[in-house]
């Protein structure tokens, strides 16, 4: 049972406080928490569960906003963490993003959502589709009406029909002139390449995202051609676990609209689509830089939005860098950003130049790590393939579509 929820800004300010039970939690717990964040840094903020002298704390950080929940009683830790993740997802969906100004501008709606999402410390209604029927999302018209009428409440007078259903994630009997369902495989590749060019780690985190606009109560099954490669799968509550456990088939009644059907991880991949070859040599107070970027394994689709970033070491006084393709910028925080776009067919993109060291240094002793970004439309680099999507109760006219997208996640090359 959660007793209180706090929303903290990136400076430690308490933007919102929601007491959930009769036992009031004092704000001094936030001061204790932020003092430890300042003293211990990122290592403390990476801990999802923290034991303070008086409470157990659960924390989730999204876009600089810290969601902090407190309890003094025994409870499953994952329930507290998962609920905070649901709160952050719902607020981001409702408000079109998360930041300090958005939270403060929509203070009333955030409180109303928390009132519906948790009751006496226990999660209640966490499905975005049902919450949208209960509480109208903010828009210009509603804000003008609240000023004119003096009524700031966005809560509906009627209870959504799906709240009493066995499938609370789906609105009651939606109807569409065109029935359609689209499935997207969205993957992020995490990789670490050492200074010798050897692949230390390469894995993919992926999501199966569905956009469903189907009339009535559809029952779908989605199967993969190679489900055995999947690790660490995590499902939306609509997925029936037994068909997956026995046959690796996703059987579900989908929510209405966009939702994440499942997430997965695929480990120990053998190659990356791009190579990055950095070379740094230093003497006499200068460091010469040369970086080559090219295609290692052609995925069969265009690799675009290629970027390369690295943090200049503190001992660098100035940098003179240029490239034969794309644009190079030195940002105010001493980050070098190279925007390549697409790899041209007639030349290999290269970045070269010199770095000026501090006067007392002859050689560079701290070498940067290069962070790579890219995007590939139409390909899932993990090799995961969708076999088929079937509807047990199919409408007379049904449109189905499949897409794939792979982009770089934590893709690092050490020099």
């Amino acid at each position: 049972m959660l007793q209180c929820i706090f929303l903290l800004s990136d400076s430690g300010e308490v933007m919102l406080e929601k007491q959930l039970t009769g036992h009031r939690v004092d704000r001094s717990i936030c001061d204790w928490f932020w003092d430890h964040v300042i003293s211990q840094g990122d290592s403390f903020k990476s801990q999802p569960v923290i034991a303070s002298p008086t409470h157990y704390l659960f924390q989730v950080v999204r876009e600089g906003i810290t969601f902090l929940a407190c309890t003094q009683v025994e409870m499953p830790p994952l329930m507290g963490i998962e609920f905070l993740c649901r709160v952050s997802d719902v607020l981001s969906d409702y408000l079109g993003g998360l930041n300090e100004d958005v939270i403060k501008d929509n203070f009333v709606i955030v409180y109303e959502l928390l009132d519906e999402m948790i009751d006496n410390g226990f999660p209640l209604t966490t499905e975005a589709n049902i919450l949208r029927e209960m509480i109208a999302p903010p828009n210009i018209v509603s804000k003008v009406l609240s000023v004119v009428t003096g009524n700031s409440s966005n809560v509906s007078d009627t209870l959504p029909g799906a709240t009493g259903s066995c499938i609370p994630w789906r609105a009651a009997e939606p109807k569409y002139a065109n029935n359609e369902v689209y499935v997207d495989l969205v993957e992020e590749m995490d990789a670490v390449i050492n200074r010798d060019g050897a692949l230390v780690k390469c894995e993919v985190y992926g999501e199966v995202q569905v956009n469903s606009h189907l009339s009535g109560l559809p029952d779908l099954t989605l199967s993969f051609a190679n489900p055995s490669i999947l690790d660490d799968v995590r499902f939306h509550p609509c997925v029936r676990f037994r068909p997956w456990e026995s046959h690796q088939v996703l059987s579900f009644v989908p929510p209405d609209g966009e939702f994440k059907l499942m997430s997965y991880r695929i480990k120990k991949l053998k190659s990356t689509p791009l190579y990055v070859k950095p070379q740094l040599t230093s003497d006499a107070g200068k460091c010469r830089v040369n970086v080559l970027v090219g295609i290692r394994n052609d995925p069969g689709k265009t690799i675009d939005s290629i970027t390369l970033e690295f943090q200049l070491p503190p001992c660098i006084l100035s940098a003179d860098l240029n490239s034969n393709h794309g644009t190079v910028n030195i940002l105010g925080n001493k980050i070098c950003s190279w925007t390549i776009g697409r790899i041209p067919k007639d030349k290999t993109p290269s970045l070269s130049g010199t770095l000026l060291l501090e006067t007392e240094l002859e050689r560079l002793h701290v070498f940067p790590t290069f962070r790579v970004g890219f995007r590939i439309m139409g390909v899932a680099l993990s090799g995961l393939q969708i076999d088929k999507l079937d509807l047990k109760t199919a409408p007379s006219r049904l449109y189905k579509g499949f897409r794939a997208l792979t982009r770089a996640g934590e893709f690092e090359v050490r020099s």
Side-chain angles (χ1 to χ4, degrees):
M1 179 179 69
L2 299 177
Q3 295 174 324
C4 186
I5 292 179
F6 297 100
L7 266 64
L8 308 181
S9 68
D10 56 3
S11 61
E13 176 193 357
V14 179
M15 298 187 295
L16 185 141
E17 171 187 342
K18 178 65 176 173
Q19 300 290 336
L20 305 175
T21 65
H23 178 81
R24 189 178 186 279
V25 179
D26 193 81
R27 280 196 180 192
S28 59
I29 193 65
C30 296
D31 297 331
W32 179 91
F33 171 79
W34 203 254
D35 288 342
H36 282 70
V37 169
I38 294 174
S39 62
Q40 299 183 29
D42 292 339
S43 62
F44 188 78
K45 295 197 75 172
S46 64
Q47 302 176 34
V49 182
I50 301 164
S52 77
T54 57
H55 294 80
Y56 292 107
L57 306 180
F58 306 100
Q59 66 158 330
V60 170
V61 181
R62 295 287 187 272
E63 304 295 335
I65 306 297
T66 301
F67 295 80
L68 190 68
C70 311
T71 185
Q72 287 180 311
V73 300
E74 290 290 335
M75 62 172 287
L78 286 177
M79 186 182 81
I81 298 169
E82 176 65 19
F83 178 73
L84 291 180
C85 291
R86 288 289 185 95
V87 171
S88 66
D89 290 343
V90 167
L91 292 183
S92 179
D93 182 47
Y94 254 77
L95 308 179
L98 277 179
N99 59 58
E100 187 175 343
D101 293 334
V102 168
I103 296 292
K104 291 180 177 180
D105 290 344
N106 297 277
F107 194 74
V108 174
I109 285 184
V110 175
Y111 258 104
E112 290 172 345
L113 286 170
L114 289 176
D115 277 335
E116 300 296 341
M117 294 184 71
I118 192 165
D119 181 36
N120 197 35
F122 293 96
L124 184 62
T125 304
T126 59
E127 286 297 328
N129 290 330
I130 306 304
L131 290 169
R132 284 183 176 275
E133 295 187 41
M134 290 180 173
I135 302 169
N139 55 53
I140 296 177
V141 175
S142 63
K143 291 181 179 180
V144 171
L145 287 175
S146 66
V147 172
V148 173
T149 63
N151 180 18
S152 60
S153 175
N154 299 278
V155 181
S156 173
D157 294 330
T158 59
L159 192 66
T163 53
S165 168
C166 60
I167 48 172
W169 54 83
R170 184 169 179 82
E173 295 295 326
K175 294 183 179 180
Y176 294 97
N178 295 320
N179 291 280
E180 52 192 19
V181 56
Y182 301 102
V183 180
D184 293 341
L185 289 181
V186 180
E187 297 187 341
E188 289 189 352
M189 174 172 279
D190 299 335
V192 175
I193 300 171
N194 66 16
R195 62 185 308 172
D196 297 324
L199 190 61
V200 177
K201 183 190 84 167
C202 185
E203 62 183 34
V204 161
Y205 169 80
E207 295 180 354
V208 179
Q209 299 177 358
V210 179
N211 190 0
S212 170
H213 297 285
L214 300 172
S215 303
L217 197 64
D219 198 333
L220 287 75
T221 57
L222 177 67
S223 59
F224 299 101
N226 48 350
S228 60
I229 66 175
L230 297 174
D231 289 319
D232 302 336
V233 292
R234 181 172 177 238
F235 302 111
H236 187 278
C238 70
V239 176
R240 303 179 182 99
F241 186 65
R242 185 166 295 177
W244 174 262
E245 191 176 34
S246 57
H247 305 292
Q248 280 72 56
V249 173
L250 296 175
S251 175
F252 59 99
V253 176
D256 193 38
E258 298 181 4
F259 68 99
K260 182 173 70 175
L261 180 64
M262 68 174 288
S263 63
Y264 58 88
R265 193 174 297 276
I266 298 176
K267 303 177 182 179
K268 298 181 180 179
L269 297 179
K270 302 298 183 182
S271 64
T272 61
L274 296 174
Y275 68 80
V276 178
K277 297 180 179 179
Q279 185 177 11
L280 286 80
T281 56
S282 58
D283 56 26
K286 291 184 179 181
C287 178
R288 288 176 292 278
V289 179
N290 185 47
V291 184
L292 298 177
V293 177
I295 297 176
R296 183 189 302 274
N297 292 300
D298 192 347
K301 298 286 185 179
T302 302
I303 307 175
D304 59 12
S305 302
I306 301 173
T307 60
L308 188 75
E309 286 188 352
F310 63 96
Q311 177 76 52
L312 295 175
C315 59
I316 300 298
L317 296 179
S318 63
D320 182 16
L321 300 172
N322 53 71
S323 67
N324 65 350
H325 182 77
T327 58
V328 180
N329 293 303
I330 307 295
L331 306 180
N333 50 3
K334 297 185 73 173
I335 290 180
C336 177
S337 175
W338 180 20
T339 302
I340 302 172
R342 297 182 178 181
I343 301 288
K345 295 182 178 180
D346 57 341
K347 59 183 175 181
T348 299
S350 65
L351 171 73
S352 59
T354 57
L355 307 177
L356 181 63
L357 308 183
E358 292 178 344
T359 53
E360 64 272 13
L361 292 178
E362 286 290 323
R363 294 178 177 274
L364 185 66
H365 300 289
V366 179
F367 294 94
T369 297
F370 296 83
R371 296 181 297 276
V372 183
F374 62 84
R375 184 184 66 177
I376 310 174
M377 296 293 296
V379 170
L381 287 182
S382 66
L384 183 66
Q385 296 178 354
I386 294 176
D387 184 24
K388 59 181 177 179
L389 175 66
D390 293 328
L391 280 81
K392 294 181 180 178
T393 55
S396 55
R397 297 179 61 187
L398 174 66
Y399 300 95
K400 296 185 288 185
F402 304 94
R403 293 186 303 183
L405 164 67
T406 301
R407 53 179 175 244
E410 297 293 328
F411 196 113
E412 297 182 349
V413 179
R414 296 167 184 169
S415 62

